[in-house]
Amino acid sequence: GGYIALEIMARAPERISCLVLTNSSAFVDKPEGKSARLKMIDVVSTGKFEAVYNRIVMALAPDGSSEDSEIKLKMLDMARDYQAERFINHQTAIIGRPDRADELGSIACPTLVVSGKRDPVTRPSASAFIHYAINGSSLVEVDAGHMAPLEAAEDFSAALIAFLKTAYVTAGADG
């Protein structure tokens, strides 16, 4: 979601009145990250999507959660619904995405950056970088991993509602 939002901001910033970036990064993958994505694409291409998504869910699931925890089961359902072709297209797009770090300073709309304190994919430092690069942005850290809206639903929702109330007033005043 964050990669897409930053792409839209680069192409059509006038169409965005406020922005929420959750567990996001503005940087491209390091070579080892690209290599890992290519390996996953290769495995999924051989018909082993279920093995790949099970591994991803186990890596992203909250620390100490049981195999059948509610969050883990929701993540597995989401992964199953995603399907192999979409997964391959998504990973291919991520590999080819541009670095957006130098463009963050041009973002002028109200922006909320949400970070999971225990995110193993997009570290809190990536969210902090985005926050400091976007003038006037707000940073909220929740006690979660990469799936902050699922793992810390109440805290995430409270932060989002508070931000949207403020952003609505700001956007309304500006047009």
Side-chain angles (χ1 to χ4, degrees), residues 27-172:
F27 301 107
V28 296
D29 285 344
K30 294 179 180 176
E32 58 271 16
K34 286 183 181 182
S35 176
R37 290 185 195 283
L38 289 169
K39 286 179 186 173
M40 287 190 296
I41 289 170
D42 285 345
V43 172
V44 170
S45 296
T46 65
K48 297 179 181 170
F49 179 53
E50 186 171 348
V52 170
Y53 76 67
N54 278 319
R55 193 178 96 225
I56 291 170
V57 167
M58 295 309 142
L60 294 180
D63 296 336
S65 61
S66 68
E67 288 292 318
D68 61 350
S69 74
E70 184 178 343
I71 291 172
K72 207 174 271 187
L73 292 174
K74 282 182 184 179
M75 291 169 64
L76 284 168
D77 283 345
M78 289 168 48
R80 274 187 213 98
D81 290 345
Y82 206 67
Q83 300 182 355
E85 183 180 356
R86 186 184 305 164
F87 177 85
I88 291 169
N89 291 339
H90 184 176
Q91 295 305 311
T92 302
I94 290 172
I95 290 168
R97 77 185 184 280
D99 190 295
R100 297 287 183 206
D102 292 339
E103 300 169 6
L104 295 173
S106 67
I107 296 175
C109 65
T111 302
L112 172 64
V113 181
V114 180
S115 174
K117 293 178 184 177
R118 297 176 282 106
D119 188 343
V121 178
T122 49
R123 304 275 183 216
S125 59
S127 295
F129 179 88
I130 291 171
H131 164 61
Y132 290 117
I134 300 174
N135 188 36
S137 68
S138 300
L139 175 64
V140 174
E141 289 187 337
V142 296
D143 187 23
H146 191 66
M147 303 298 286
L150 282 177
E151 297 173 55
E154 288 184 23
D155 291 340
F156 177 83
S157 295
L160 181 61
I161 289 167
F163 167 73
L164 290 173
K165 286 179 180 178
T166 303
Y168 178 77
V169 169
T170 303

Side-chain angles (χ1 to χ4, degrees), residues 1-12:
Y3 301 146
I4 294 168
L6 291 174
E7 182 69 24
I8 294 169
M9 286 301 302
R11 291 180 185 212

Side-chain angles (χ1 to χ4, degrees), residues 3-23:
Y3 301 146
I4 294 168
L6 291 174
E7 182 69 24
I8 294 169
M9 286 301 302
R11 291 180 185 212
E14 71 281 357
R15 299 189 70 175
I16 307 298
S17 60
C18 64
L19 179 63
V20 178
L21 297 169
T22 304
N23 301 89

